[in-house]
């Protein structure tokens, strides 16, 4: 009997803390002290930055003849999707610092690509944004549906 009460208490506390973390994530209303919900709040990560659109960064290298070709940066970011996304979006920096980091990253990318033997004259970085689709993340990532913004170009 005591064992069952203890088990139910543990489950009840876990569900209460998790529910309080979800309420805090969605409304910023703290039902429990933040120290108590800290771990559960981390589990709410998928709900913390949800948007109604999809977005990704596009890197291009300029060849000596002036044409541009896409550079796949996934080789430089061998992480899972969530961490790769956080790193691409530079989520650890504030907006002002982030603006200086994209040119720095593009310069490093140009340097690394040249070391691999690719004769790029410049690298430019775009941010693409398009609507979500039930057909998948990339489905509407086409010129017709994509808004493109040039973030930086380095030589």
């Amino acid at each position: 009997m005591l064992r069952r009460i203890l088990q139910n208490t543990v489950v009840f506390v876990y569900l209460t803390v998790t529910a309080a973390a979800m309420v805090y994530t969605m409304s910023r209303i703290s039902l429990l002290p933040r120290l108590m919900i800290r771990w559960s709040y981390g589990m709410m990560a998928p709900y913390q930055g949800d948007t109604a659109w999809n977005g990704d960064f596009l890197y291009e290298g300029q060849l000596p003849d002036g044409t541009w070709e896409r550079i796949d940066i996934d080789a430089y970011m061998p992480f899972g999707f969530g961490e790769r996304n956080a790193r691409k979006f530079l989520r650890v920096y504030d907006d002002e610092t982030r603006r200086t980091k994209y040119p720095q990253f593009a310069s490093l990318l140009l340097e690394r690509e040249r070391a691999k033997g690719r004769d790029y004259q410049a690298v430019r970085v775009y941010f693409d944004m398009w609507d979500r689709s039930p057909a998948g993340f990339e489905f509407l990532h086409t010129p017709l549906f994509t808004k493109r913004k040039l973030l930086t170009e380095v030589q």
Side-chain angles (χ1 to χ4, degrees):
M1 176 82 169
L2 181 62
R3 182 178 180 174
R4 186 170 176 93
I5 291 172
L6 184 60
Q7 287 174 335
N8 286 338
T9 302
V10 168
V11 170
F12 177 76
V13 168
Y14 174 80
L15 292 175
T16 301
V17 170
T18 302
M22 180 61 123
V23 168
Y24 180 74
T25 300
M26 299 307 229
S27 67
R28 292 294 182 233
I29 296 171
S30 185
L31 302 176
L32 295 172
R34 292 200 47 200
L35 186 59
M36 287 181 70
I37 64 171
R38 183 181 178 127
W39 183 79
S40 292
Y41 177 68
M43 292 190 315
M44 302 298 144
Y47 307 103
Q48 293 173 13
D50 192 31
T51 60
W53 46 269
N54 290 332
D56 202 3
F57 294 91
L58 175 72
Y59 295 81
E60 294 181 332
Q62 185 181 33
L63 297 169
D65 66 0
T67 60
W68 294 87
E69 72 178 10
R70 189 169 184 171
I71 300 172
D72 181 17
I73 66 160
D74 287 344
Y76 297 102
M77 297 190 178
F79 313 106
F81 177 76
E83 185 169 350
R84 184 180 312 128
N85 189 33
R87 288 178 185 250
K88 280 183 181 181
F89 279 81
L90 301 174
R91 300 237 188 258
V92 297
Y93 301 108
D94 60 43
D95 289 339
E96 187 176 322
T97 306
R98 195 175 297 135
R99 280 189 282 275
T100 65
K101 293 295 180 183
Y102 286 115
Q104 288 176 8
F105 183 78
S107 295
L108 287 171
L109 182 61
L110 180 59
E111 179 184 309
R112 301 289 193 292
E113 288 293 308
R114 284 177 175 165
K116 287 183 175 180
R118 295 183 180 93
D119 191 21
Y120 291 138
Q121 306 303 303
V123 167
R124 62 185 178 190
V125 183
Y126 288 103
F127 180 69
D128 284 358
M129 192 168 73
W130 62 97
D131 290 331
R132 283 185 167 176
S133 170
F137 181 76
E138 289 284 341
F139 187 75
L140 293 177
H141 191 190
T142 63
L144 180 62
F145 297 106
T146 301
K147 296 174 189 158
R148 179 168 282 176
K149 178 181 177 184
L150 178 65
L151 297 179
T152 191
E153 183 177 327
V154 298
Q155 294 183 355

